[in-house]
Amino acid sequence: MAYSEKLLDHYENPRNIGSLDKNAEDVGTGLVGAPACGDVMKLQIKVGPDGLIEDAKFKTFGCGSAIASSSLVTEWVKGKTIDEAETIKNTDIAKHLALPPVKIHCSVLAEDAIKAAIADYRAKASKKDETREAAE
Amino acid sequence: MNAIAQIRRNDQPIYLDYQATTPMDPRVLEAMMPYFTYKFGNAHSRSHSYGWEAEEGVEKARAQLAKLIGADEKEVIYTSGATESNNLAIKGVADFYKDRRSHIVTTVTEHKCVLDTCRHLEQEGFTVTYLPVQQNGLVDLDVLRAAVTDKTVVVSIMAVNNEIGVIQPLAEIGKICREKGAFFHTDAAQAAGKIPLDVEAMNIDLMSISGHKIYGPKGIGALYVRRKPRVRLAAMIHGGGQERGFRSGTLPTPLCVGLGEAAEICMKEMDGEAVRLTKLRDRMLKGLNAKLPEIYVNGDLDQRIPGNLNISFAHVEGESLMMGIKNLSVSSGSACTSASLEPSYVLRALGVEEEMAHTSLRIGLGRFTTEHEVDTAVGELVHHVTKLRQMSPLWEMSQEGIDIKSIEWAAH
Protein backbone atom coordinates (compact mmCIF):
# COMPACT_ATOMS: atom_id res chain seq x y z
CA MET A 1 0.00 0.00 0.00
CA ALA A 2 1.48 3.34 -0.98
CA TYR A 3 0.94 6.16 1.48
CA SER A 4 1.07 9.86 0.70
CA GLU A 5 4.03 11.97 1.72
CA LYS A 6 1.84 14.03 4.05
CA LEU A 7 0.66 10.89 5.83
CA LEU A 8 4.17 9.52 6.19
CA ASP A 9 5.36 12.89 7.52
CA HIS A 10 2.68 12.90 10.23
CA TYR A 11 3.46 9.27 11.10
CA GLU A 12 7.20 9.83 11.32
CA ASN A 13 7.07 13.27 12.92
CA PRO A 14 3.78 13.29 14.78
CA ARG A 15 2.75 16.73 16.07
CA ASN A 16 1.51 17.36 19.58
CA ILE A 17 1.99 13.99 21.18
CA GLY A 18 1.31 14.02 24.85
CA SER A 19 -1.28 14.57 27.52
CA LEU A 20 -2.96 17.52 29.22
CA ASP A 21 -4.40 17.41 32.70
CA LYS A 22 -7.72 15.70 32.13
CA ASN A 23 -9.09 17.07 35.40
CA ALA A 24 -8.42 20.70 34.50
CA GLU A 25 -11.56 22.75 33.87
CA ASP A 26 -10.26 24.25 30.62
CA VAL A 27 -9.31 20.87 29.16
CA GLY A 28 -11.65 18.66 27.13
CA THR A 29 -10.74 15.00 26.62
CA GLY A 30 -12.04 12.64 23.95
CA LEU A 31 -11.26 8.93 24.12
CA VAL A 32 -12.69 6.99 21.20
CA GLY A 33 -12.27 3.64 19.50
CA ALA A 34 -11.66 0.28 21.12
CA PRO A 35 -8.53 -1.81 21.69
CA ALA A 36 -10.27 -4.89 20.28
CA CYS A 37 -10.83 -3.05 17.01
CA GLY A 38 -7.18 -2.04 16.84
CA ASP A 39 -7.79 1.72 17.13
CA VAL A 40 -7.91 3.97 20.19
CA MET A 41 -7.49 7.74 20.04
CA LYS A 42 -7.17 10.12 22.94
CA LEU A 43 -7.46 13.74 21.90
CA GLN A 44 -7.34 16.68 24.28
CA ILE A 45 -7.97 20.39 23.80
CA LYS A 46 -7.17 23.29 26.10
CA VAL A 47 -9.45 26.28 25.63
CA GLY A 48 -8.19 29.75 26.54
CA PRO A 49 -10.22 32.52 28.22
CA ASP A 50 -10.78 34.04 24.76
CA GLY A 51 -12.62 30.88 23.69
CA LEU A 52 -9.88 29.80 21.31
CA ILE A 53 -8.25 26.37 21.46
CA GLU A 54 -4.76 27.24 22.60
CA ASP A 55 -3.33 23.73 22.84
CA ALA A 56 -4.14 20.22 21.64
CA LYS A 57 -2.49 16.90 22.40
CA PHE A 58 -3.07 13.35 21.28
CA LYS A 59 -2.10 9.77 21.89
CA THR A 60 -3.14 7.04 19.47
CA PHE A 61 -3.01 3.26 19.43
CA GLY A 62 -3.62 2.27 15.85
CA CYS A 63 -2.19 2.03 12.38
CA GLY A 64 -0.09 4.70 10.71
CA SER A 65 -3.19 6.29 9.17
CA ALA A 66 -4.83 6.58 12.57
CA ILE A 67 -1.73 8.20 14.04
CA ALA A 68 -1.47 10.62 11.11
CA SER A 69 -5.19 11.50 11.25
CA SER A 70 -5.06 12.38 14.93
CA SER A 71 -1.79 14.27 14.56
CA LEU A 72 -3.30 16.33 11.73
CA VAL A 73 -6.42 17.13 13.71
CA THR A 74 -4.42 18.52 16.64
CA GLU A 75 -2.73 20.89 14.20
CA TRP A 76 -6.00 21.96 12.63
CA VAL A 77 -7.89 22.72 15.84
CA LYS A 78 -5.30 24.97 17.38
CA GLY A 79 -6.32 28.63 17.22
CA LYS A 80 -9.89 27.75 16.32
CA THR A 81 -12.98 28.31 18.46
CA ILE A 82 -14.66 25.10 19.57
CA ASP A 83 -17.56 25.84 17.22
CA GLU A 84 -15.12 26.09 14.33
CA ALA A 85 -13.27 22.95 15.42
CA GLU A 86 -16.53 21.09 15.50
CA THR A 87 -17.00 21.60 11.77
CA ILE A 88 -13.92 19.55 10.86
CA LYS A 89 -15.10 16.71 8.67
CA ASN A 90 -13.57 13.28 8.27
CA THR A 91 -13.64 13.75 4.51
CA ASP A 92 -11.31 16.75 4.84
CA ILE A 93 -8.87 14.66 6.86
CA ALA A 94 -9.06 11.75 4.44
CA LYS A 95 -8.54 14.07 1.48
CA HIS A 96 -5.62 15.93 3.03
CA LEU A 97 -3.78 12.69 3.89
CA ALA A 98 -4.96 10.86 0.74
CA LEU A 99 -6.11 7.93 2.86
CA PRO A 100 -6.69 4.70 0.95
CA PRO A 101 -10.31 3.43 1.08
CA VAL A 102 -9.61 0.78 3.75
CA LYS A 103 -8.31 3.53 6.03
CA ILE A 104 -11.22 5.96 5.83
CA HIS A 105 -12.40 4.74 9.24
CA CYS A 106 -9.26 6.32 10.75
CA SER A 107 -10.42 9.77 9.66
CA VAL A 108 -13.91 9.04 11.01
CA LEU A 109 -12.37 8.17 14.34
CA ALA A 110 -10.34 11.40 14.36
CA GLU A 111 -13.52 13.40 13.76
CA ASP A 112 -15.21 11.48 16.58
CA ALA A 113 -12.24 12.21 18.84
CA ILE A 114 -12.40 15.98 18.37
CA LYS A 115 -16.18 15.95 18.82
CA ALA A 116 -15.81 13.91 22.01
CA ALA A 117 -13.18 16.31 23.36
CA ILE A 118 -15.43 19.30 22.63
CA ALA A 119 -18.41 17.58 24.27
CA ASP A 120 -16.32 16.87 27.36
CA TYR A 121 -15.15 20.51 27.52
CA ARG A 122 -18.74 21.78 27.13
CA ALA A 123 -20.02 19.42 29.83
CA LYS A 124 -17.37 20.71 32.21
CA ALA A 125 -18.15 24.33 31.31
CA SER A 126 -21.90 23.96 31.87
CA LYS A 127 -21.29 22.16 35.15
CA LYS A 128 -19.08 25.08 36.17
CA ASP A 129 -21.89 27.50 35.29
CA GLU A 130 -24.38 25.48 37.31
CA THR A 131 -22.17 25.48 40.40
CA ARG A 132 -21.64 29.21 40.01
CA GLU A 133 -25.37 29.84 39.74
CA ALA A 134 -26.02 27.61 42.72
CA ALA A 135 -23.45 29.58 44.73
CA GLU A 136 -25.14 32.84 43.80
CA MET B 1 28.08 -17.30 3.67
CA ASN B 2 28.75 -16.02 0.14
CA ALA B 3 25.28 -16.96 -1.00
CA ILE B 4 23.82 -14.01 0.89
CA ALA B 5 25.31 -11.58 -1.61
CA GLN B 6 23.32 -13.30 -4.31
CA ILE B 7 20.14 -13.38 -2.25
CA ARG B 8 19.76 -9.82 -1.02
CA ARG B 9 20.99 -6.61 -2.54
CA ASN B 10 22.25 -4.00 -0.12
CA ASP B 11 19.38 -1.63 -0.86
CA GLN B 12 16.78 -4.22 0.08
CA PRO B 13 15.25 -4.51 3.54
CA ILE B 14 16.21 -7.35 5.86
CA TYR B 15 14.00 -10.33 5.03
CA LEU B 16 12.38 -11.81 8.13
CA ASP B 17 9.32 -13.46 6.62
CA TYR B 18 10.56 -16.98 5.89
CA GLN B 19 7.14 -18.51 6.62
CA ALA B 20 5.65 -16.54 3.73
CA THR B 21 8.25 -17.69 1.27
CA THR B 22 11.95 -18.40 1.06
CA PRO B 23 14.48 -17.16 -1.45
CA MET B 24 15.68 -19.88 -3.76
CA ASP B 25 19.02 -21.36 -2.79
CA PRO B 26 21.55 -20.56 -5.54
CA ARG B 27 22.47 -24.26 -5.60
CA VAL B 28 18.86 -25.05 -6.48
CA LEU B 29 18.89 -22.56 -9.32
CA GLU B 30 22.10 -24.08 -10.61
CA ALA B 31 20.54 -27.54 -10.68
CA MET B 32 17.52 -26.18 -12.54
CA MET B 33 19.32 -24.18 -15.23
CA PRO B 34 20.04 -27.00 -17.71
CA TYR B 35 16.37 -27.95 -17.71
CA PHE B 36 15.42 -24.44 -18.78
CA THR B 37 17.87 -24.60 -21.66
CA TYR B 38 19.35 -27.62 -23.40
CA LYS B 39 17.58 -30.30 -21.33
CA PHE B 40 14.22 -28.90 -22.31
CA GLY B 41 12.53 -32.17 -23.28
CA ASN B 42 9.09 -33.32 -22.23
CA ALA B 43 9.58 -35.84 -19.42
CA HIS B 44 6.76 -37.89 -20.88
CA SER B 45 8.34 -38.22 -24.35
CA ARG B 46 9.48 -41.79 -24.77
CA SER B 47 10.89 -41.69 -28.27
CA HIS B 48 14.08 -39.65 -27.93
CA SER B 49 16.89 -38.68 -25.64
CA TYR B 50 15.42 -35.22 -24.85
CA GLY B 51 12.50 -36.92 -23.17
CA TRP B 52 14.68 -39.50 -21.39
CA GLU B 53 16.96 -36.80 -20.04
CA ALA B 54 14.05 -34.81 -18.66
CA GLU B 55 12.49 -37.92 -17.19
CA GLU B 56 15.75 -38.77 -15.48
CA GLY B 57 15.70 -35.29 -13.92
CA VAL B 58 12.17 -35.49 -12.53
CA GLU B 59 12.64 -39.04 -11.26
CA LYS B 60 15.88 -38.21 -9.48
CA ALA B 61 14.10 -35.28 -7.86
CA ARG B 62 11.19 -37.48 -6.86
CA ALA B 63 13.61 -39.81 -5.10
CA GLN B 64 15.33 -36.87 -3.36
CA LEU B 65 12.00 -35.63 -2.06
CA ALA B 66 10.82 -39.11 -1.02
CA LYS B 67 14.01 -39.58 0.99
CA LEU B 68 13.33 -36.39 2.96
CA ILE B 69 10.10 -37.83 4.35
CA GLY B 70 11.00 -41.52 4.54
CA ALA B 71 8.76 -42.46 1.63
CA ASP B 72 9.14 -44.55 -1.48
CA GLU B 73 9.58 -42.47 -4.63
CA LYS B 74 6.52 -44.12 -6.18
CA GLU B 75 4.43 -42.52 -3.47
CA VAL B 76 5.28 -38.93 -4.40
CA ILE B 77 3.29 -37.01 -6.99
CA TYR B 78 4.04 -33.51 -8.20
CA THR B 79 1.50 -30.70 -7.90
CA SER B 80 1.59 -26.93 -8.31
CA GLY B 81 2.08 -26.36 -4.59
CA ALA B 82 0.74 -27.08 -1.13
CA THR B 83 -2.65 -25.49 -1.84
CA GLU B 84 -3.27 -27.90 -4.67
CA SER B 85 -1.88 -30.81 -2.64
CA ASN B 86 -4.21 -30.01 0.24
CA ASN B 87 -7.19 -29.73 -2.10
CA LEU B 88 -6.33 -32.98 -3.87
CA ALA B 89 -5.68 -34.91 -0.66
CA ILE B 90 -8.84 -33.87 1.17
CA LYS B 91 -11.27 -33.67 -1.75
CA GLY B 92 -9.69 -36.71 -3.37
CA VAL B 93 -10.15 -39.12 -0.45
CA ALA B 94 -13.48 -37.60 0.56
CA ASP B 95 -14.85 -38.13 -2.91
CA PHE B 96 -13.42 -41.62 -3.37
CA TYR B 97 -14.67 -43.04 -0.07
CA LYS B 98 -17.87 -41.00 0.24
CA ASP B 99 -20.16 -44.04 0.13
CA ARG B 100 -18.59 -45.49 3.26
CA ARG B 101 -17.32 -42.50 5.23
CA SER B 102 -18.45 -38.90 5.12
CA HIS B 103 -16.84 -37.22 8.14
CA ILE B 104 -13.70 -35.09 8.18
CA VAL B 105 -11.72 -33.89 11.19
CA THR B 106 -9.45 -30.86 11.09
CA THR B 107 -8.43 -27.98 13.38
CA VAL B 108 -9.40 -24.31 13.53
CA THR B 109 -5.80 -23.17 13.01
CA GLU B 110 -5.26 -24.83 9.65
CA HIS B 111 -4.20 -22.84 6.62
CA LYS B 112 -7.07 -21.21 4.73
CA CYS B 113 -6.73 -23.66 1.86
CA VAL B 114 -7.57 -26.56 4.16
CA LEU B 115 -10.38 -24.72 5.94
CA ASP B 116 -11.88 -23.52 2.69
CA THR B 117 -11.67 -27.00 1.18
CA CYS B 118 -13.52 -28.35 4.22
CA ARG B 119 -16.17 -25.63 3.91
CA HIS B 120 -16.63 -26.63 0.30
CA LEU B 121 -17.06 -30.29 1.27
CA GLU B 122 -19.63 -29.33 3.88
CA GLN B 123 -21.70 -27.87 1.07
CA GLU B 124 -21.29 -31.17 -0.76
CA GLY B 125 -22.85 -32.97 2.19
CA PHE B 126 -19.85 -34.00 4.27
CA THR B 127 -19.72 -33.24 7.97
CA VAL B 128 -16.61 -31.57 9.31
CA THR B 129 -15.37 -31.31 12.89
CA TYR B 130 -13.13 -28.30 13.50
CA LEU B 131 -11.10 -29.12 16.59
CA PRO B 132 -10.04 -26.30 18.89
CA VAL B 133 -6.41 -26.02 19.92
CA GLN B 134 -4.96 -25.49 23.35
CA GLN B 135 -3.50 -22.18 24.49
CA ASN B 136 -0.08 -23.28 23.23
CA GLY B 137 -1.48 -23.94 19.76
CA LEU B 138 -1.32 -27.74 20.01
CA VAL B 139 -4.21 -30.10 19.48
CA ASP B 140 -5.43 -31.99 22.55
CA LEU B 141 -5.04 -35.69 21.74
CA ASP B 142 -7.96 -36.75 23.93
CA VAL B 143 -10.21 -34.28 22.15
CA LEU B 144 -8.97 -35.64 18.83
CA ARG B 145 -9.52 -39.25 19.88
CA ALA B 146 -13.08 -38.43 20.88
CA ALA B 147 -13.78 -36.68 17.59
CA VAL B 148 -12.68 -39.47 15.24
CA THR B 149 -15.42 -42.01 14.53
CA ASP B 150 -15.89 -45.00 12.24
CA LYS B 151 -17.40 -42.53 9.78
CA THR B 152 -14.26 -40.38 9.64
CA VAL B 153 -12.56 -40.65 6.29
CA VAL B 154 -9.65 -38.30 6.89
CA VAL B 155 -8.05 -36.33 9.69
CA SER B 156 -6.23 -33.28 8.30
CA ILE B 157 -3.90 -31.62 10.78
CA MET B 158 -1.01 -29.41 9.77
CA ALA B 159 2.48 -30.45 10.86
CA VAL B 160 3.67 -26.92 11.62
CA ASN B 161 1.52 -23.82 11.85
CA ASN B 162 2.36 -21.05 9.41
CA GLU B 163 1.77 -18.20 11.85
CA ILE B 164 3.09 -19.48 15.15
CA GLY B 165 5.42 -22.28 14.03
CA VAL B 166 4.19 -24.84 16.58
CA ILE B 167 4.75 -28.52 15.78
CA GLN B 168 1.77 -30.83 16.25
CA PRO B 169 2.36 -34.28 17.83
CA LEU B 170 2.33 -36.05 14.46
CA ALA B 171 3.25 -39.56 15.59
CA GLU B 172 0.54 -39.55 18.26
CA ILE B 173 -2.04 -38.20 15.82
CA GLY B 174 -1.02 -40.84 13.27
CA LYS B 175 -1.43 -43.57 15.86
CA ILE B 176 -4.96 -42.46 16.72
CA CYS B 177 -5.93 -42.28 13.05
CA ARG B 178 -4.55 -45.74 12.37
CA GLU B 179 -6.43 -47.20 15.35
CA LYS B 180 -9.66 -45.66 14.11
CA GLY B 181 -9.15 -46.54 10.47
CA ALA B 182 -9.15 -42.92 9.27
CA PHE B 183 -6.54 -41.57 6.89
CA PHE B 184 -4.10 -39.03 8.28
CA HIS B 185 -3.32 -36.10 6.03
CA THR B 186 -0.84 -33.47 7.14
CA ASP B 187 -0.08 -30.14 5.51
CA ALA B 188 3.69 -30.14 5.92
CA ALA B 189 4.40 -26.98 3.91
CA GLN B 190 6.06 -25.33 6.92
CA ALA B 191 7.56 -28.51 8.34
CA ALA B 192 9.29 -30.32 5.49
CA GLY B 193 13.00 -29.75 5.45
CA LYS B 194 12.90 -28.07 8.85
CA ILE B 195 12.06 -30.93 11.21
CA PRO B 196 12.55 -34.67 10.69
CA LEU B 197 9.50 -36.25 9.08
CA ASP B 198 8.95 -39.97 8.62
CA VAL B 199 5.72 -41.12 7.03
CA GLU B 200 6.23 -44.67 8.38
CA ALA B 201 7.03 -43.82 11.97
CA MET B 202 4.31 -41.17 12.06
CA ASN B 203 1.65 -43.21 10.24
CA ILE B 204 1.08 -40.41 7.75
CA ASP B 205 -1.06 -41.40 4.74
CA LEU B 206 -1.04 -38.14 2.83
CA MET B 207 1.39 -35.24 3.09
CA SER B 208 1.47 -31.89 1.31
CA ILE B 209 4.76 -30.19 0.51
CA SER B 210 5.56 -26.83 -1.05
CA GLY B 211 8.68 -25.95 -3.05
CA HIS B 212 8.98 -22.29 -2.19
CA LYS B 213 8.96 -22.82 1.57
CA ILE B 214 12.10 -24.96 1.39
CA TYR B 215 14.34 -22.69 -0.72
CA GLY B 216 13.04 -24.22 -3.93
CA PRO B 217 11.03 -22.66 -6.76
CA LYS B 218 7.48 -21.31 -6.58
CA GLY B 219 4.78 -23.09 -8.54
CA ILE B 220 5.74 -26.61 -7.52
CA GLY B 221 4.79 -28.86 -4.66
CA ALA B 222 4.12 -32.47 -3.98
CA LEU B 223 1.66 -34.81 -2.39
CA TYR B 224 2.76 -37.98 -0.71
CA VAL B 225 0.13 -40.71 -1.20
CA ARG B 226 0.68 -43.93 0.73
CA ARG B 227 0.74 -47.19 -1.26
CA LYS B 228 0.72 -49.72 1.60
CA PRO B 229 -1.96 -49.77 2.87
CA ARG B 230 -3.16 -48.08 -0.27
CA VAL B 231 -4.82 -44.68 -0.21
CA ARG B 232 -7.05 -43.99 -3.17
CA LEU B 233 -7.96 -40.57 -4.48
CA ALA B 234 -10.41 -39.23 -6.99
CA ALA B 235 -8.38 -37.06 -9.39
CA MET B 236 -9.21 -33.40 -9.82
CA ILE B 237 -7.28 -32.76 -13.01
CA HIS B 238 -7.95 -35.23 -15.79
CA GLY B 239 -5.91 -35.74 -18.92
CA GLY B 240 -2.96 -37.83 -20.02
CA GLY B 241 -2.85 -39.86 -16.83
CA GLN B 242 0.51 -38.59 -15.60
CA GLU B 243 1.42 -38.94 -11.91
CA ARG B 244 -0.33 -42.28 -11.45
CA GLY B 245 -3.48 -40.73 -12.86
CA PHE B 246 -3.84 -38.50 -9.81
CA ARG B 247 -2.70 -35.37 -11.55
CA SER B 248 -2.52 -35.13 -15.32
CA GLY B 249 -0.45 -32.55 -17.14
CA THR B 250 3.10 -32.24 -18.43
CA LEU B 251 5.53 -31.95 -15.55
CA PRO B 252 7.43 -28.66 -15.24
CA THR B 253 10.83 -30.35 -15.36
CA PRO B 254 12.97 -27.45 -14.06
CA LEU B 255 10.63 -26.91 -11.12
CA CYS B 256 10.58 -30.62 -10.25
CA VAL B 257 14.37 -30.74 -10.37
CA GLY B 258 14.53 -27.64 -8.16
CA LEU B 259 12.16 -29.13 -5.62
CA GLY B 260 14.25 -32.30 -5.43
CA GLU B 261 17.51 -30.41 -5.05
CA ALA B 262 15.97 -28.17 -2.40
CA ALA B 263 14.81 -31.23 -0.47
CA GLU B 264 18.23 -32.82 -0.59
CA ILE B 265 19.97 -29.68 0.66
CA CYS B 266 17.43 -29.34 3.50
CA MET B 267 18.01 -32.94 4.50
CA LYS B 268 21.81 -32.62 4.51
CA GLU B 269 21.82 -29.35 6.43
CA MET B 270 18.80 -29.80 8.70
CA ASP B 271 20.62 -30.59 11.94
CA GLY B 272 23.21 -27.83 11.68
CA GLU B 273 20.65 -25.34 10.47
CA ALA B 274 18.32 -26.09 13.37
CA VAL B 275 21.10 -25.37 15.86
CA ARG B 276 22.10 -22.16 14.08
CA LEU B 277 18.53 -20.87 13.78
CA THR B 278 17.67 -21.72 17.38
CA LYS B 279 20.68 -19.65 18.46
CA LEU B 280 19.58 -16.73 16.30
CA ARG B 281 16.00 -16.92 17.55
CA ASP B 282 17.13 -17.04 21.17
CA ARG B 283 19.43 -14.10 20.51
CA MET B 284 16.55 -12.10 19.09
CA LEU B 285 14.17 -12.92 21.91
CA LYS B 286 16.80 -12.18 24.54
CA GLY B 287 17.63 -8.87 22.87
CA LEU B 288 13.99 -7.82 22.78
CA ASN B 289 13.24 -8.97 26.32
CA ALA B 290 16.24 -7.05 27.65
CA LYS B 291 14.87 -3.73 26.39
CA LEU B 292 11.12 -4.17 26.13
CA PRO B 293 8.75 -5.05 28.95
CA GLU B 294 5.37 -6.62 28.22
CA ILE B 295 6.13 -8.62 25.11
CA TYR B 296 4.64 -12.08 24.76
CA VAL B 297 5.47 -15.02 22.50
CA ASN B 298 2.36 -16.62 21.01
CA GLY B 299 2.36 -20.40 20.75
CA ASP B 300 4.51 -23.03 22.41
CA LEU B 301 8.18 -22.07 22.43
CA ASP B 302 9.54 -25.61 22.80
CA GLN B 303 7.32 -27.47 20.33
CA ARG B 304 8.20 -24.99 17.61
CA ILE B 305 10.35 -24.79 14.50
CA PRO B 306 13.55 -22.83 15.15
CA GLY B 307 12.87 -20.17 12.52
CA ASN B 308 9.66 -18.68 13.87
CA LEU B 309 8.72 -16.10 16.44
CA ASN B 310 5.27 -14.62 16.85
CA ILE B 311 5.31 -11.82 19.36
CA SER B 312 2.67 -9.51 20.81
CA PHE B 313 4.08 -6.09 21.68
CA ALA B 314 1.45 -4.97 24.17
CA HIS B 315 -0.21 -1.60 23.46
CA VAL B 316 1.47 -1.12 20.07
CA GLU B 317 -0.64 -1.76 17.00
CA GLY B 318 1.08 -4.16 14.59
CA GLU B 319 0.49 -2.28 11.37
CA SER B 320 1.88 0.96 12.74
CA LEU B 321 4.91 -0.95 13.99
CA MET B 322 5.48 -2.46 10.56
CA MET B 323 5.27 1.00 9.05
CA GLY B 324 8.05 2.12 11.38
CA ILE B 325 10.42 -0.78 10.88
CA LYS B 326 10.86 0.02 7.22
CA ASN B 327 14.13 -1.83 6.99
CA LEU B 328 12.60 -5.12 8.17
CA SER B 329 10.25 -7.28 6.13
CA VAL B 330 7.97 -9.07 8.58
CA SER B 331 4.25 -9.74 8.61
CA SER B 332 1.35 -9.26 10.94
CA GLY B 333 -0.80 -12.33 10.80
CA SER B 334 -0.31 -14.42 7.69
CA ALA B 335 0.34 -12.80 4.35
CA CYS B 336 -2.82 -14.35 2.93
CA THR B 337 -5.04 -12.57 5.39
CA SER B 338 -3.13 -9.41 6.26
CA ALA B 339 -5.00 -7.53 3.54
CA SER B 340 -8.01 -7.68 5.84
CA LEU B 341 -8.14 -5.69 9.05
CA GLU B 342 -9.31 -8.62 11.15
CA PRO B 343 -6.84 -9.92 13.69
CA SER B 344 -5.40 -13.35 13.06
CA TYR B 345 -7.85 -16.24 13.47
CA VAL B 346 -4.96 -18.42 14.57
CA LEU B 347 -4.10 -16.16 17.51
CA ARG B 348 -7.78 -15.85 18.38
CA ALA B 349 -7.99 -19.66 18.45
CA LEU B 350 -5.22 -19.71 21.08
CA GLY B 351 -7.37 -17.47 23.22
CA VAL B 352 -5.19 -14.41 22.60
CA GLU B 353 -7.35 -11.35 23.35
CA GLU B 354 -8.35 -9.35 20.31
CA GLU B 355 -6.49 -6.26 21.47
CA MET B 356 -3.35 -8.38 21.96
CA ALA B 357 -3.77 -10.04 18.55
CA HIS B 358 -3.66 -6.55 17.00
CA THR B 359 -0.17 -6.04 18.45
CA SER B 360 1.47 -9.15 17.04
CA LEU B 361 4.17 -9.64 14.45
CA ARG B 362 5.34 -12.83 12.81
CA ILE B 363 9.11 -12.90 12.48
CA GLY B 364 10.57 -15.64 10.32
CA LEU B 365 14.26 -16.49 10.29
CA GLY B 366 15.88 -18.74 7.74
CA ARG B 367 18.88 -20.03 5.87
CA PHE B 368 20.24 -16.64 4.88
CA THR B 369 19.54 -14.78 8.12
CA THR B 370 22.71 -13.54 9.79
CA GLU B 371 23.56 -12.58 13.34
CA HIS B 372 24.11 -9.02 12.16
CA GLU B 373 20.61 -8.92 10.67
CA VAL B 374 19.13 -10.20 13.93
CA ASP B 375 20.93 -7.50 15.91
CA THR B 376 19.81 -4.80 13.49
CA ALA B 377 16.24 -6.08 13.74
CA VAL B 378 16.31 -6.02 17.53
CA GLY B 379 17.58 -2.44 17.48
CA GLU B 380 14.87 -1.27 15.11
CA LEU B 381 12.10 -3.10 16.95
CA VAL B 382 13.16 -1.71 20.32
CA HIS B 383 13.37 1.82 18.93
CA HIS B 384 9.98 1.79 17.25
CA VAL B 385 8.07 -0.10 19.94
CA THR B 386 9.37 2.38 22.51
CA LYS B 387 8.47 5.33 20.31
CA LEU B 388 4.97 4.01 19.58
CA ARG B 389 4.35 3.22 23.22
CA GLN B 390 5.16 6.84 24.04
CA MET B 391 2.23 7.82 21.87
CA SER B 392 -0.09 4.98 22.87
CA PRO B 393 -2.99 5.91 25.16
CA LEU B 394 -3.22 2.25 26.19
CA TRP B 395 0.40 2.17 27.29
CA GLU B 396 -0.19 5.37 29.25
CA MET B 397 -3.20 3.83 31.00
CA SER B 398 -1.39 0.62 31.81
CA GLN B 399 1.51 2.65 33.27
CA GLU B 400 -1.00 4.53 35.42
CA GLY B 401 -2.37 1.19 36.60
CA ILE B 402 -5.70 1.54 34.81
CA ASP B 403 -7.16 -1.79 33.75
CA ILE B 404 -8.00 -1.40 30.07
CA LYS B 405 -10.73 -4.02 30.38
CA SER B 406 -12.50 -1.90 33.01
CA ILE B 407 -13.25 0.79 30.44
CA GLU B 408 -16.43 0.58 28.42
CA TRP B 409 -15.20 0.89 24.86
CA ALA B 410 -17.57 1.77 22.09
CA ALA B 411 -16.92 -0.84 19.41
CA HIS B 412 -16.85 0.73 15.98
Side-chain angles (χ1 to χ4, degrees), chain B residues 113-127:
Chain B
C113 67
V114 167
L115 293 175
D116 214 42
T117 297
C118 288
R119 293 268 179 241
H120 169 78
L121 288 170
E122 278 184 290
Q123 284 166 4
E124 305 265 295
F126 291 86
T127 49

Side-chain angles (χ1 to χ4, degrees), chain A residues 11-12 19 36 42 60 62 103, chain B residues 319-320 324 326 358 391 396:
Chain A
Y11 168 78
E12 274 162 21
S19 296
K42 188 187 79 168
T60 290
K103 295 297 181 189
Chain B
E319 242 187 285
S320 67
K326 285 193 295 279
H358 278 293
M391 63 170 95
E396 183 181 63

Side-chain angles (χ1 to χ4, degrees), chain A residues 7-8 11-12 14 17 19 31 33-40 42 59-64 67 102-103 105, chain B residues 315-317 319-320 323-324 326 341 354-355 358-359 387-388 390-394 396-397 400 404 409-412:
Chain A
L7 189 152
L8 291 172
Y11 168 78
E12 274 162 21
I17 294 177
S19 296
L31 182 66
C37 303
D39 287 306
V40 175
K42 188 187 79 168
K59 285 203 175 189
T60 290
F61 164 84
C63 64
I67 291 170
V102 292
K103 295 297 181 189
H105 69 275
Chain B
H315 312 309
V316 173
E317 200 273 336
E319 242 187 285
S320 67
M323 207 163 148
K326 285 193 295 279
L341 301 170
E354 243 177 307
E355 58 252 47
H358 278 293
T359 71
K387 181 180 164 190
L388 288 165
Q390 289 310 315
M391 63 170 95
S392 166
L394 303 180
E396 183 181 63
M397 287 177 206
E400 287 169 2
I404 286 158
W409 300 99
H412 57 287

Side-chain angles (χ1 to χ4, degrees), chain A residues 40-87:
Chain A
V40 175
M41 281 182 195
K42 188 187 79 168
L43 202 143
Q44 296 182 301
I45 50 169
K46 185 171 187 239
V47 183
D50 52 359
L52 297 180
I53 296 172
E54 62 183 35
D55 201 4
K57 296 277 183 203
F58 85 96
K59 285 203 175 189
T60 290
F61 164 84
C63 64
S65 302
I67 291 170
S69 296
S70 34
S71 167
L72 176 67
V73 163
T74 57
E75 267 199 332
W76 277 0
V77 298
K78 276 199 209 178
K80 285 194 167 75
T81 66
I82 55 173
D83 289 339
E84 285 165 355
E86 211 174 13
T87 64

Side-chain angles (χ1 to χ4, degrees), chain B residues 61-78:
Chain B
R62 203 190 297 276
Q64 287 170 312
L65 189 58
K67 205 171 165 196
L68 178 69
I69 58 172
D72 186 278
E73 62 214 59
K74 294 191 194 73
E75 298 174 307
V76 173
I77 63 170
Y78 291 112

